[in-house]
PDB file of all heavy atoms in Angstrom:
ATOM      1  N   VAL A 924      76.468 115.772 105.350  1.00 98.00           N
ATOM      2  CA  VAL A 924      77.356 115.678 106.516  1.00 98.00           C
ATOM      3  C   VAL A 924      77.187 114.293 107.130  1.00 98.00           C
ATOM      4  O   VAL A 924      76.236 113.576 106.824  1.00 98.00           O
ATOM      5  CB  VAL A 924      77.031 116.772 107.563  1.00 98.00           C
ATOM      6  CG1 VAL A 924      77.402 118.144 107.031  1.00 98.00           C
ATOM      7  CG2 VAL A 924      75.564 116.727 107.989  1.00 98.00           C
ATOM      8  N   LEU A 942      75.144 114.737 119.579  1.00 97.00           N
ATOM      9  CA  LEU A 942      76.185 114.764 118.562  1.00 97.00           C
ATOM     10  C   LEU A 942      75.829 115.695 117.409  1.00 97.00           C
ATOM     11  O   LEU A 942      76.705 116.339 116.836  1.00 97.00           O
ATOM     12  CB  LEU A 942      76.465 113.357 118.052  1.00 97.00           C
ATOM     13  CG  LEU A 942      77.272 112.478 119.018  1.00 97.00           C
ATOM     14  CD1 LEU A 942      77.429 111.079 118.473  1.00 97.00           C
ATOM     15  CD2 LEU A 942      78.645 113.072 119.272  1.00 97.00           C
ATOM     16  N   ALA A 943      74.547 115.783 117.057  1.00 97.00           N
ATOM     17  CA  ALA A 943      74.145 116.714 116.004  1.00 97.00           C
ATOM     18  C   ALA A 943      74.451 118.145 116.411  1.00 97.00           C
ATOM     19  O   ALA A 943      74.881 118.961 115.579  1.00 97.00           O
ATOM     20  CB  ALA A 943      72.656 116.551 115.698  1.00 97.00           C
ATOM     21  N   GLY A 944      74.274 118.458 117.678  1.00 98.00           N
ATOM     22  CA  GLY A 944      74.632 119.790 118.174  1.00 98.00           C
ATOM     23  C   GLY A 944      76.128 120.045 118.060  1.00 98.00           C
ATOM     24  O   GLY A 944      76.564 121.135 117.652  1.00 98.00           O
ATOM     25  N   LEU A 946      78.089 118.624 115.926  1.00 98.00           N
ATOM     26  CA  LEU A 946      78.391 118.703 114.501  1.00 98.00           C
ATOM     27  C   LEU A 946      78.105 120.104 113.960  1.00 98.00           C
ATOM     28  O   LEU A 946      78.888 120.657 113.176  1.00 98.00           O
ATOM     29  CB  LEU A 946      77.587 117.647 113.737  1.00 98.00           C
ATOM     30  CG  LEU A 946      77.853 117.515 112.235  1.00 98.00           C
ATOM     31  CD1 LEU A 946      79.327 117.219 111.957  1.00 98.00           C
ATOM     32  CD2 LEU A 946      76.966 116.424 111.630  1.00 98.00           C
ATOM     33  N   PHE A 947      76.999 120.677 114.375  1.00 98.00           N
ATOM     34  CA  PHE A 947      76.669 122.045 113.976  1.00 98.00           C
ATOM     35  C   PHE A 947      77.792 122.996 114.371  1.00 98.00           C
ATOM     36  O   PHE A 947      78.259 123.812 113.567  1.00 98.00           O
ATOM     37  CB  PHE A 947      75.353 122.469 114.647  1.00 98.00           C
ATOM     38  CG  PHE A 947      74.942 123.891 114.373  1.00 98.00           C
ATOM     39  CD1 PHE A 947      74.197 124.215 113.246  1.00 98.00           C
ATOM     40  CD2 PHE A 947      75.300 124.916 115.240  1.00 98.00           C
ATOM     41  CE1 PHE A 947      73.818 125.533 112.987  1.00 98.00           C
ATOM     42  CE2 PHE A 947      74.926 126.238 115.010  1.00 98.00           C
ATOM     43  CZ  PHE A 947      74.182 126.540 113.876  1.00 98.00           C
ATOM     44  N   LEU A 950      81.096 122.419 112.290  1.00 98.00           N
ATOM     45  CA  LEU A 950      81.007 122.950 110.929  1.00 98.00           C
ATOM     46  C   LEU A 950      81.096 124.467 110.921  1.00 98.00           C
ATOM     47  O   LEU A 950      81.830 125.056 110.115  1.00 98.00           O
ATOM     48  CB  LEU A 950      79.704 122.490 110.272  1.00 98.00           C
ATOM     49  CG  LEU A 950      79.605 120.991 109.967  1.00 98.00           C
ATOM     50  CD1 LEU A 950      78.175 120.607 109.627  1.00 98.00           C
ATOM     51  CD2 LEU A 950      80.543 120.610 108.821  1.00 98.00           C
ATOM     52  N   ARG A 951      80.357 125.112 111.839  1.00 98.00           N
ATOM     53  CA  ARG A 951      80.316 126.585 111.860  1.00 98.00           C
ATOM     54  C   ARG A 951      81.613 127.199 112.393  1.00 98.00           C
ATOM     55  O   ARG A 951      82.054 128.234 111.896  1.00 98.00           O
ATOM     56  CB  ARG A 951      79.146 127.067 112.724  1.00 98.00           C
ATOM     57  CG  ARG A 951      77.870 127.374 111.948  1.00 98.00           C
ATOM     58  CD  ARG A 951      77.250 126.125 111.398  1.00 98.00           C
ATOM     59  NE  ARG A 951      76.146 126.408 110.476  1.00 98.00           N
ATOM     60  CZ  ARG A 951      75.559 125.477 109.757  1.00 98.00           C
ATOM     61  NH1 ARG A 951      75.974 124.221 109.844  1.00 98.00           N
ATOM     62  NH2 ARG A 951      74.571 125.776 108.928  1.00 98.00           N
ATOM     63  N   TYR A 993      72.941 121.445 101.977  1.00 96.00           N
ATOM     64  CA  TYR A 993      71.844 121.875 102.842  1.00 96.00           C
ATOM     65  C   TYR A 993      72.292 122.137 104.281  1.00 96.00           C
ATOM     66  O   TYR A 993      71.733 122.996 104.974  1.00 96.00           O
ATOM     67  CB  TYR A 993      70.730 120.818 102.842  1.00 96.00           C
ATOM     68  CG  TYR A 993      71.037 119.593 103.682  1.00 96.00           C
ATOM     69  CD1 TYR A 993      70.553 119.480 104.981  1.00 96.00           C
ATOM     70  CD2 TYR A 993      71.819 118.552 103.187  1.00 96.00           C
ATOM     71  CE1 TYR A 993      70.836 118.364 105.765  1.00 96.00           C
ATOM     72  CE2 TYR A 993      72.114 117.443 103.949  1.00 96.00           C
ATOM     73  CZ  TYR A 993      71.625 117.351 105.235  1.00 96.00           C
ATOM     74  OH  TYR A 993      71.916 116.255 106.016  1.00 96.00           O
ATOM     75  N   ALA A 994      73.294 121.403 104.738  1.00 97.00           N
ATOM     76  CA  ALA A 994      73.711 121.495 106.140  1.00 97.00           C
ATOM     77  C   ALA A 994      74.627 122.689 106.406  1.00 97.00           C
ATOM     78  O   ALA A 994      74.948 122.966 107.561  1.00 97.00           O
ATOM     79  CB  ALA A 994      74.416 120.208 106.557  1.00 97.00           C
ATOM     80  N   LEU A 995      75.047 123.397 105.357  1.00 98.00           N
ATOM     81  CA  LEU A 995      75.955 124.527 105.513  1.00 98.00           C
ATOM     82  C   LEU A 995      75.266 125.864 105.256  1.00 98.00           C
ATOM     83  O   LEU A 995      75.943 126.880 105.079  1.00 98.00           O
ATOM     84  CB  LEU A 995      77.165 124.376 104.575  1.00 98.00           C
ATOM     85  CG  LEU A 995      78.023 123.119 104.730  1.00 98.00           C
ATOM     86  CD1 LEU A 995      79.258 123.215 103.849  1.00 98.00           C
ATOM     87  CD2 LEU A 995      78.422 122.887 106.182  1.00 98.00           C
ATOM     88  N   MET A 999      70.966 128.990 108.922  1.00 96.00           N
ATOM     89  CA  MET A 999      70.372 127.847 109.625  1.00 96.00           C
ATOM     90  C   MET A 999      70.649 127.938 111.123  1.00 96.00           C
ATOM     91  O   MET A 999      71.784 128.142 111.540  1.00 96.00           O
ATOM     92  CB  MET A 999      70.959 126.556 109.047  1.00 96.00           C
ATOM     93  CG  MET A 999      70.401 125.265 109.621  1.00 96.00           C
ATOM     94  SD  MET A 999      71.233 123.831 108.877  1.00 96.00           S
ATOM     95  CE  MET A 999      69.988 123.264 107.756  1.00 96.00           C
ATOM     96  N   THR A1000      69.601 127.771 111.929  1.00 97.00           N
ATOM     97  CA  THR A1000      69.794 127.732 113.375  1.00 97.00           C
ATOM     98  C   THR A1000      70.226 126.334 113.790  1.00 97.00           C
ATOM     99  O   THR A1000      70.082 125.365 113.036  1.00 97.00           O
ATOM    100  CB  THR A1000      68.506 128.087 114.119  1.00 97.00           C
ATOM    101  OG1 THR A1000      67.536 127.055 113.885  1.00 97.00           O
ATOM    102  CG2 THR A1000      67.948 129.433 113.661  1.00 97.00           C
ATOM    103  N   LYS A1001      70.753 126.208 115.011  1.00 98.00           N
ATOM    104  CA  LYS A1001      71.162 124.890 115.497  1.00 98.00           C
ATOM    105  C   LYS A1001      69.962 123.960 115.565  1.00 98.00           C
ATOM    106  O   LYS A1001      70.070 122.771 115.208  1.00 98.00           O
ATOM    107  CB  LYS A1001      71.830 125.001 116.871  1.00 98.00           C
ATOM    108  CG  LYS A1001      72.286 123.658 117.428  1.00 98.00           C
ATOM    109  CD  LYS A1001      72.971 123.768 118.782  1.00 98.00           C
ATOM    110  CE  LYS A1001      74.383 124.264 118.650  1.00 98.00           C
ATOM    111  NZ  LYS A1001      75.156 124.103 119.929  1.00 98.00           N
ATOM    112  N   GLU A1002      68.818 124.450 115.991  1.00 97.00           N
ATOM    113  CA  GLU A1002      67.614 123.627 116.090  1.00 97.00           C
ATOM    114  C   GLU A1002      67.186 123.124 114.708  1.00 97.00           C
ATOM    115  O   GLU A1002      66.809 121.954 114.548  1.00 97.00           O
ATOM    116  CB  GLU A1002      66.479 124.417 116.740  1.00 97.00           C
ATOM    117  CG  GLU A1002      66.683 124.718 118.215  1.00 97.00           C
ATOM    118  CD  GLU A1002      67.769 125.760 118.476  1.00 97.00           C
ATOM    119  OE1 GLU A1002      68.056 126.580 117.562  1.00 97.00           O
ATOM    120  OE2 GLU A1002      68.344 125.749 119.587  1.00 97.00           O
ATOM    121  N   GLU A1003      67.238 124.007 113.707  1.00 97.00           N
ATOM    122  CA  GLU A1003      66.887 123.602 112.340  1.00 97.00           C
ATOM    123  C   GLU A1003      67.880 122.569 111.820  1.00 97.00           C
ATOM    124  O   GLU A1003      67.497 121.589 111.157  1.00 97.00           O
ATOM    125  CB  GLU A1003      66.873 124.824 111.416  1.00 97.00           C
ATOM    126  CG  GLU A1003      65.727 125.779 111.669  1.00 97.00           C
ATOM    127  CD  GLU A1003      65.865 127.087 110.900  1.00 97.00           C
ATOM    128  OE1 GLU A1003      67.013 127.454 110.536  1.00 97.00           O
ATOM    129  OE2 GLU A1003      64.837 127.747 110.664  1.00 97.00           O
ATOM    130  N   PHE A1004      69.146 122.780 112.108  1.00 98.00           N
ATOM    131  CA  PHE A1004      70.185 121.842 111.672  1.00 98.00           C
ATOM    132  C   PHE A1004      69.943 120.456 112.255  1.00 98.00           C
ATOM    133  O   PHE A1004      69.961 119.450 111.539  1.00 98.00           O
ATOM    134  CB  PHE A1004      71.559 122.367 112.105  1.00 98.00           C
ATOM    135  CG  PHE A1004      72.698 121.428 111.793  1.00 98.00           C
ATOM    136  CD1 PHE A1004      73.353 121.497 110.575  1.00 98.00           C
ATOM    137  CD2 PHE A1004      73.124 120.484 112.722  1.00 98.00           C
ATOM    138  CE1 PHE A1004      74.415 120.634 110.285  1.00 98.00           C
ATOM    139  CE2 PHE A1004      74.178 119.628 112.447  1.00 98.00           C
ATOM    140  CZ  PHE A1004      74.822 119.700 111.216  1.00 98.00           C
ATOM    141  N   ILE A1005      69.716 120.390 113.562  1.00 98.00           N
ATOM    142  CA  ILE A1005      69.504 119.104 114.219  1.00 98.00           C
ATOM    143  C   ILE A1005      68.317 118.381 113.611  1.00 98.00           C
ATOM    144  O   ILE A1005      68.381 117.178 113.307  1.00 98.00           O
ATOM    145  CB  ILE A1005      69.317 119.298 115.739  1.00 98.00           C
ATOM    146  CG1 ILE A1005      70.628 119.773 116.378  1.00 98.00           C
ATOM    147  CG2 ILE A1005      68.838 118.006 116.404  1.00 98.00           C
ATOM    148  CD1 ILE A1005      70.498 120.179 117.832  1.00 98.00           C
ATOM    149  N   LYS A1006      67.240 119.103 113.384  1.00 97.00           N
ATOM    150  CA  LYS A1006      66.033 118.489 112.813  1.00 97.00           C
ATOM    151  C   LYS A1006      66.298 117.962 111.405  1.00 97.00           C
ATOM    152  O   LYS A1006      65.933 116.825 111.074  1.00 97.00           O
ATOM    153  CB  LYS A1006      64.889 119.498 112.787  1.00 97.00           C
ATOM    154  CG  LYS A1006      63.595 118.925 112.236  1.00 97.00           C
ATOM    155  CD  LYS A1006      62.467 119.953 112.265  1.00 97.00           C
ATOM    156  CE  LYS A1006      61.180 119.366 111.692  1.00 97.00           C
ATOM    157  NZ  LYS A1006      60.071 120.358 111.698  1.00 97.00           N
ATOM    158  N   GLU A1007      66.943 118.774 110.566  1.00 96.00           N
ATOM    159  CA  GLU A1007      67.159 118.371 109.183  1.00 96.00           C
ATOM    160  C   GLU A1007      68.166 117.231 109.068  1.00 96.00           C
ATOM    161  O   GLU A1007      68.003 116.320 108.250  1.00 96.00           O
ATOM    162  CB  GLU A1007      67.618 119.568 108.350  1.00 96.00           C
ATOM    163  CG  GLU A1007      66.506 120.596 108.128  1.00 96.00           C
ATOM    164  CD  GLU A1007      66.844 121.602 107.048  1.00 96.00           C
ATOM    165  OE1 GLU A1007      67.450 121.211 106.032  1.00 96.00           O
ATOM    166  OE2 GLU A1007      66.496 122.783 107.224  1.00 96.00           O
ATOM    167  N   VAL A1008      69.212 117.262 109.882  1.00 97.00           N
ATOM    168  CA  VAL A1008      70.224 116.213 109.817  1.00 97.00           C
ATOM    169  C   VAL A1008      69.665 114.868 110.280  1.00 97.00           C
ATOM    170  O   VAL A1008      70.009 113.820 109.729  1.00 97.00           O
ATOM    171  CB  VAL A1008      71.453 116.608 110.656  1.00 97.00           C
ATOM    172  CG1 VAL A1008      72.365 115.415 110.910  1.00 97.00           C
ATOM    173  CG2 VAL A1008      72.245 117.700 109.953  1.00 97.00           C
ATOM    174  N   LEU A1009      68.775 114.894 111.267  1.00 96.00           N
ATOM    175  CA  LEU A1009      68.238 113.638 111.809  1.00 96.00           C
ATOM    176  C   LEU A1009      67.045 113.109 111.011  1.00 96.00           C
ATOM    177  O   LEU A1009      66.690 111.941 111.143  1.00 96.00           O
ATOM    178  CB  LEU A1009      67.825 113.831 113.272  1.00 96.00           C
ATOM    179  CG  LEU A1009      68.962 114.175 114.240  1.00 96.00           C
ATOM    180  CD1 LEU A1009      68.430 114.277 115.667  1.00 96.00           C
ATOM    181  CD2 LEU A1009      70.080 113.139 114.165  1.00 96.00           C
TER     182      LEU A1009
END
Side-chain angles (χ1 to χ4, degrees):
V924 291
L942 285 176
L946 184 57
F947 177 87
L950 292 167
R951 265 69 189 172
Y993 76 97
L995 302 187
M999 183 182 256
T1000 67
K1001 180 179 283 192
E1002 291 71 24
E1003 290 171 336
F1004 176 89
I1005 292 172
K1006 181 178 179 181
E1007 289 194 38
V1008 165
L1009 297 183

